[in-house]
Amino acid sequence: MAYKILSLNIGHPAPMEWNGKSIVSSMKKESVPGPLVVHRDSIDGNTFAQPQFHGALHSVLYAFGMKSALEFAKVLGRATYEPGATGETLTLDELDEFDVSVGDIFRFGSVLAQATYPRIPCGKVNFRMQHERGQKAMQECGRSGVYFQILEPGKIALGDRGERIERAKETLLVSDVYRYIVKNETPPAEFVERAKRNGCLPKRQLEKWNA
């Protein structure tokens, strides 16, 4: 299956105001003509307010499918979604969290990237969406996009296509990982063992499940 690249998005930390409060976040990305210049540890022109939590090696690239984004928006009573609105650097026509496994390998343009983790929404989503249920809506609908680590740096341009070129050796659906994390549940032992065999989930998450 080929994935159409709809938008390339980058940004820097900036204030966001909502409900009488102000925070600094890099969640709002601006669409750019591109190409995205992607390194193993960063994307040119893209920085984070809290680099200790965002933009780590396992989450350099963040992709969100428009079909998933529209499902999220629908929960908030909205019919449209602005590319980059919740922080993704790559907006695709489709990227199904219920089909993608941690460990799947994709090529976007000349970049080789491996799925590692679901995006876990924090309370800043409320600020970005200007809605008190922003975070909860993204948690409940199970649609939040996918983080990738970079196996081969390169460039991603509008007009390039995305393609899954290899499936994980041990299936660990992004949607399943997401469900356990947002519900703050420890998965069954079989799932944890499968995650270990998969080998691509961030170490800190495995440590939490083994605690």
Side-chain angles (χ1 to χ4, degrees):
M1 175 181 178
Y3 301 88
K4 184 178 180 181
I5 295 172
L6 300 182
S7 185
L8 309 170
N9 318 299
I10 56 175
H12 299 287
M16 290 196 305
E17 296 184 359
W18 174 69
N19 206 25
K21 299 179 181 180
S22 179
I23 60 172
V24 174
S25 173
S26 56
M27 189 177 299
K28 187 179 187 304
K29 307 295 185 186
E30 299 290 344
S31 294
V32 295
L36 288 186
V37 180
V38 182
H39 308 280
R40 288 189 184 275
D41 61 353
S42 64
I43 296 174
D44 284 1
N46 194 58
T47 57
F48 298 92
Q50 295 179 302
Q52 69 272 34
F53 300 121
H54 302 288
L57 288 176
H58 69 264
S59 58
V60 171
L61 184 69
Y62 168 32
F64 202 9
M66 182 57 76
K67 287 186 178 181
S68 292
L70 288 173
E71 284 193 35
F72 160 58
K74 185 178 179 180
V75 178
L76 297 178
R78 300 176 185 179
T80 61
Y81 176 84
E82 177 188 355
T86 54
E88 79 273 10
T89 42
L90 192 62
T91 312
L92 306 172
D93 61 338
E94 183 176 1
L95 187 67
D96 188 353
E97 297 90 342
F98 290 75
D99 176 64
V100 174
S101 172
V102 171
D104 284 356
I105 297 176
F106 291 73
R107 186 170 293 280
F108 301 112
S110 64
V111 173
L112 196 66
Q114 186 171 44
T116 60
Y117 201 64
R119 182 264 178 84
I120 307 300
C122 65
K124 291 182 179 181
V125 177
N126 295 356
F127 281 78
R128 181 67 192 99
M129 303 308 292
Q130 301 286 291
H131 197 293
E132 63 183 4
R133 280 188 45 79
Q135 178 188 18
K136 287 291 186 183
M138 185 171 272
Q139 290 176 341
E140 291 169 4
C141 74
R143 304 290 186 175
S144 66
V146 182
Y147 282 132
F148 292 84
Q149 63 182 352
I150 306 305
L151 302 181
E152 292 181 7
K155 295 181 180 181
I156 307 173
L158 289 174
D160 287 342
R161 70 174 190 170
E163 184 178 10
R164 177 164 46 191
I165 63 172
E166 184 179 325
R167 289 187 179 268
K169 60 183 180 182
E170 189 81 34
T171 299
L172 198 73
L173 292 179
V174 167
S175 58
D176 289 337
V177 175
Y178 185 76
R179 184 178 71 254
Y180 288 122
I181 293 174
V182 298
K183 290 185 176 181
N184 196 29
E185 295 178 353
T186 299
E190 180 277 332
F191 188 89
V192 176
E193 288 304 312
R194 189 149 40 94
K196 292 177 181 178
R197 293 194 301 269
N198 175 282
C200 296
L201 198 68
K203 182 179 178 180
R204 72 168 190 271
Q205 187 60 51
L206 282 175
E207 290 174 344
K208 286 181 181 179
W209 286 344
N210 282 316

